[in-house]
Amino acid sequence: MLRADLLGHPSVTVLAVRDGDRVSAGAVLNRSAGTVGISNVFAGPEGAPAHWAGCLALADAVFPGSTFVGYETGEALDAALTSGFRTAGPLRVWSLDG
């Protein structure tokens, strides 16, 4: 579930693959200066690497020449690596209270 204000934000693009009236696969792209984050990639069980490759091809068509980044683990990381991504290092999340 994505909030309406997020869907209307100019830096956010939602990709969707439709099977009739049903969304069967998709991802969220978040664009910043020269970099596009790919997140929330989802698809049915019929082959994550193929969905990642299709997602990346569409992302490149929408934002040509951009650097694409993401944060994945497990099977999703394996699918991203199969699609040409490379590991850049561990994810660090910083938080400032107050």
Side-chain angles (χ1 to χ4, degrees):
M1 183 78 67
L2 299 173
R3 295 177 15 186
D5 57 336
L6 177 67
L7 295 174
H9 198 282
S11 68
V12 175
T13 300
V14 178
L15 306 179
V17 175
R18 293 188 177 274
D19 183 9
D21 290 339
R22 186 177 146 266
V23 174
S24 59
V28 177
L29 306 179
N30 185 7
R31 181 177 40 87
S32 61
T35 303
V36 176
I38 300 177
S39 66
N40 301 81
V41 177
F42 69 94
E46 58 276 353
H51 290 296
W52 261 98
C55 174
L56 185 57
L58 184 53
D60 190 48
V62 173
F63 300 112
S66 294
T67 298
F68 297 100
V69 298
Y71 55 95
E72 304 299 332
T73 61
E75 290 180 17
L77 175 58
D78 294 339
L81 292 171
T82 299
S83 298
F85 282 87
R86 62 180 169 77
T87 302
L91 175 66
R92 295 178 191 253
V93 178
W94 295 88
S95 176
L96 176 64
D97 292 329

